[in-house]
Amino acid sequence: MRRWWRIVALLALVSVLWAPTVGADPLRAGSSPGAVVASSELPAELWLRGTGSAYRMTYLTTDRHGITPCTGMVFVPPGTPPAGGWPVIAWAHGTVGDSDADAPSVTGVDPQSWDYVSSWLQLGYAVAATDYVGLGTPGVPPYLDGKVAGRSVIDAVRAAREVDADLSATWMAVGLSQGGQAAVFAAHAATSYAPELDYRGAVANGVPSNIETVSNWSGPSFPPQGLAGLTVYMSYLIAGVRDAYPELDVDSYLTPVGKQFVDAAPEVPFRQFAAMTGNVSVAQMLSRALDVPALQDALREYLEVPVTGYDRPLLLVQGVTDASVPLPLTEKLASEMRTAGTTLDYRVYSGGHFGSMYQAGPDQASFVASLIK
């Protein structure tokens, strides 16, 4: 019943506040991924620097259960587009929360990434920015389910081109953290999932990887010191995994406080949730070890970053002092990709999670420009 009322409330909010310029046609429920359900002008206070026009949009994408709605934003540079239209940067955001109140199409691009994303507009690219499935739409966000997130990124490009006819079919995926992982999965699926688009490559900053290997050691004895925000991230992850695999009885691995956090993760805004979990370790969330074969198989299927199957250039960026995505895990990913025969541009910078992304900005701009000519 609670889920039903959330759906009713969301539909009411869309119909009242968004005043769609691309109509919400009920017949479009059976449309293909990338179809626009509704769009409206984005409030000016959410515009990035260098924006000529901007839109909110609700569009269709594909999750584990089939076609589903997803929300996002489109930013278009001012002036006359180049021949063929504005090339598109599909921006995949980092972790901003797990509740509908945290959706970037509601709050705007997060402050830590604002200047970085604005720079792409100022370089003459349109930006299609997904919220990801479940973040701004009903249901539990499939946090770090890379295959679902990657499709959200790709379908945002399809939808953005429907919202604004001046956008080109040429595009690249760019992301940070959770979005870095989403960009890698988008890169892996782009040409097969959306062959009508002209995908050129991807830039992925601070990519979470090899989490499925670390999870094998997780349990009540997990070290109390961990990565920055680890209890928050783990709560989001477990909520997504529990929703994806109801047959695994994920609650049986949780302590009462762990279940409280996992239940609250999709409902409580980020800052409130971070304060709520701030003094609790991952070990205190878990009642038993996660090293059960069926659960480990599910975590690999849900989390594992592919090391082969990329048919366009891929740039991975990592910060030496990144406290959220540690260097050794990304080194392992890069090594495995190269060993498997993937052509990879891997660059390491001295900064942290956000700092390395900004340090890499000029190199990334050159990388993208070389592929979009």
Side-chain angles (χ1 to χ4, degrees):
M1 180 65 70
R2 183 183 184 190
R3 179 182 175 89
W4 169 250
W5 280 112
R6 288 187 69 203
I7 294 172
V8 171
L10 176 72
L11 292 176
L13 180 66
V14 168
S15 64
V16 172
L17 297 182
W18 280 34
T21 55
V22 177
D25 182 350
L27 297 178
R28 305 208 66 173
S31 297
S32 58
V36 176
V37 175
S39 70
S40 66
E41 291 187 10
L42 188 70
E45 62 268 21
L46 301 184
W47 286 24
L48 296 167
R49 184 184 303 114
T51 298
S53 57
Y55 311 89
R56 280 178 175 150
M57 59 181 179
T58 301
Y59 63 96
L60 301 180
T61 188
T62 312
D63 68 3
R64 288 176 173 267
H65 311 293
I67 303 297
T68 190
C70 188
T71 50
M73 298 177 286
V74 186
F75 299 92
V76 185
T80 304
W86 299 108
V88 180
I89 296 295
W91 167 245
H93 65 80
T95 302
V96 295
D98 219 34
S99 77
D100 291 345
D102 297 310
S105 65
V106 174
T107 64
V109 172
D110 61 280
Q112 296 93 335
S113 305
W114 196 89
D115 285 333
Y116 175 82
V117 182
S118 295
S119 71
W120 292 111
L121 271 171
Q122 295 170 67
L123 289 170
Y125 302 99
V127 174
T130 182
D131 286 341
Y132 309 132
V133 170
L135 194 63
T137 49
V140 176
Y143 183 72
L144 293 184
D145 187 342
K147 291 182 281 293
V148 174
R151 292 191 290 265
S152 296
V153 171
I154 298 167
D155 288 325
V157 179
R158 286 169 157 164
R161 297 187 67 238
E162 186 175 331
V163 169
D164 192 306
D166 286 335
L167 271 57
S168 169
T170 301
W171 73 283
M172 292 190 67
V174 178
L176 167 70
S177 193
Q178 176 189 5
Q181 188 219 37
V184 170
F185 274 90
H188 192 259
T191 56
S192 59
Y193 184 71
E196 79 281 8
L197 298 177
D198 180 17
Y199 168 68
R200 298 294 180 89
V203 174
N205 298 274
V207 179
S209 67
N210 291 290
I211 301 170
E212 67 281 357
T213 62
V214 176
S215 70
N216 192 46
W217 309 327
S218 298
S221 60
F222 194 81
Q225 292 79 25
L227 305 177
L230 185 58
T231 301
V232 172
Y233 304 150
M234 184 64 80
S235 300
Y236 293 168
L237 173 59
I238 294 174
V241 170
R242 185 176 67 175
D243 188 67
Y245 306 98
E247 71 279 7
L248 293 179
D249 190 17
V250 169
D251 283 352
S252 69
Y253 296 86
L254 301 174
T255 63
V257 71
K259 186 176 184 303
Q260 177 191 357
F261 289 172
V262 173
D263 290 345
E267 306 292 340
V268 179
F270 178 77
R271 289 189 179 182
Q272 183 181 344
F273 190 73
M276 172 180 167
T277 60
N279 295 319
V280 179
S281 70
V282 170
Q284 292 172 290
M285 292 180 61
L286 300 174
S287 62
R288 60 187 175 116
L290 305 183
D291 58 356
V292 177
L295 181 57
Q296 287 298 308
D297 289 345
L299 288 170
R300 277 191 295 273
E301 192 278 329
Y302 187 97
L303 289 165
E304 191 171 37
V305 178
V307 297
T308 61
Y310 302 93
D311 56 6
R312 299 291 187 274
L314 174 61
L315 170 61
L316 290 186
V317 168
Q318 175 64 38
V320 171
T321 57
D322 192 326
S324 296
V325 176
L327 175 63
L329 293 183
T330 307
E331 291 279 338
K332 182 176 185 292
L333 174 64
S335 175
E336 289 173 345
M337 283 183 164
R338 286 170 171 163
T339 299
T342 296
T343 300
L344 176 68
D345 190 341
Y346 174 50
R347 306 187 192 188
V348 179
Y349 297 80
S350 62
H353 198 54
F354 290 96
S356 58
M357 178 177 72
Y358 282 97
Q359 287 174 330
D363 294 335
Q364 293 180 7
S366 297
F367 177 80
V368 170
S370 71
L371 299 173
I372 299 180
K373 298 177 181 178

